[in-house]
Amino acid sequence: MVQKVYVTYNEIHKLCQTSAERILTDFQPNLIIAIGGGGYVPARILRSFLKRPGTPNIPIQAIGLSLYETLGTDGPVEEPGTKVTRTQWLDLSSLEMSNLIGKNILIVDEVDDTRTTLEYAVRELEKDVETARKQSGKGAQRTCFSIFVVHNKDKPKRGHLPSDMIEEKRYLAAKTVGDVWICYPWEATDIDEHDKLAESQPS
């Protein structure tokens, strides 16, 4: 039976808060790309902690990727799939893609499970930015991608991140957990019941 772990909005908020200083110091993001749907809320919370007096808010853009499929059980439990599906992507013909060139971009998601989604996001974004750079004639400006996830599952990964990203420590997980099913508050249909389950589970 799959072990479920319930996390609250307060927990997510505090994990983003404790991670913000390192992100500011080491990553220095100019732009956040949230992977939907789980990365939307952490990205918005994180932006508040990355704001510094006299500086504008860091812009957030969104992409939608799906890797999970519902199991044929009596509960809303899902398991990782094997194929990444784009449900939303940046418009390659618009200014938003050319605006990524030469920036420090922070990719945000809620969980690093099999790493397949993160591998896809980094690979495809790097490829699209390089295409936009060549089309714009902006020269050899480096676009630097980093990753922040709220939870990393301590398990063998199917996906792989670029070696330079790992070597330069441009990957940060706020918390590493076992191979459990994490129930996030934005997935709940009854938030009061969700919080009660979170409170009653072993610490």
Side-chain angles (χ1 to χ4, degrees), residues 17-137:
Q17 182 178 17
T18 57
S19 303
E21 193 59 42
R22 186 191 155 188
I23 291 171
L24 274 172
T25 302
D26 295 352
F27 302 164
Q28 301 178 358
N30 311 113
L31 178 72
I32 295 171
I33 294 182
I35 298 178
Y40 296 156
V41 175
R44 178 58 190 89
I45 294 172
L46 191 62
R47 186 173 78 166
S48 294
F49 292 116
L50 297 179
K51 178 80 166 65
R52 288 296 177 261
T55 63
N57 277 316
I58 297 174
I60 299 175
Q61 295 192 20
I63 58 175
L65 299 174
S66 177
L67 185 67
Y68 286 83
E69 55 192 20
T70 304
L71 289 174
T73 64
D74 57 358
V77 178
E78 298 176 327
E79 67 175 2
T82 56
K83 181 182 178 182
V84 178
T85 302
R86 283 192 193 190
T87 57
Q88 179 181 343
W89 200 253
L90 304 179
D91 183 357
L92 300 182
S93 63
S94 72
L95 285 175
E96 67 181 3
M97 182 56 71
S98 63
N99 286 341
L100 305 186
I101 300 169
K103 300 289 178 61
N104 294 330
I105 300 172
L106 181 66
I107 300 171
V108 176
D109 206 358
E110 88 278 42
V111 63
D112 180 0
D113 189 336
T114 64
R115 198 163 283 175
T116 307
T117 299
L118 290 172
E119 177 189 42
Y120 181 93
V122 173
R123 183 183 68 240
E124 294 301 305
L125 285 169
E126 285 184 338
K127 184 172 65 177
D128 288 348
V129 169
E130 177 61 15
T131 299
R133 185 192 66 79
K134 290 177 179 178
Q135 291 174 347
S136 69

Side-chain angles (χ1 to χ4, degrees), residues 22 26-27 115 142 144-146 161-172:
R22 186 191 155 188
D26 295 352
F27 302 164
R115 198 163 283 175
R142 186 191 183 198
C144 189
F145 289 93
S146 302
L161 298 175
S163 58
D164 62 325
M165 177 177 283
I166 302 301
E167 291 165 3
E168 296 172 12
K169 298 181 179 178
R170 289 185 278 116
Y171 170 94
L172 175 62

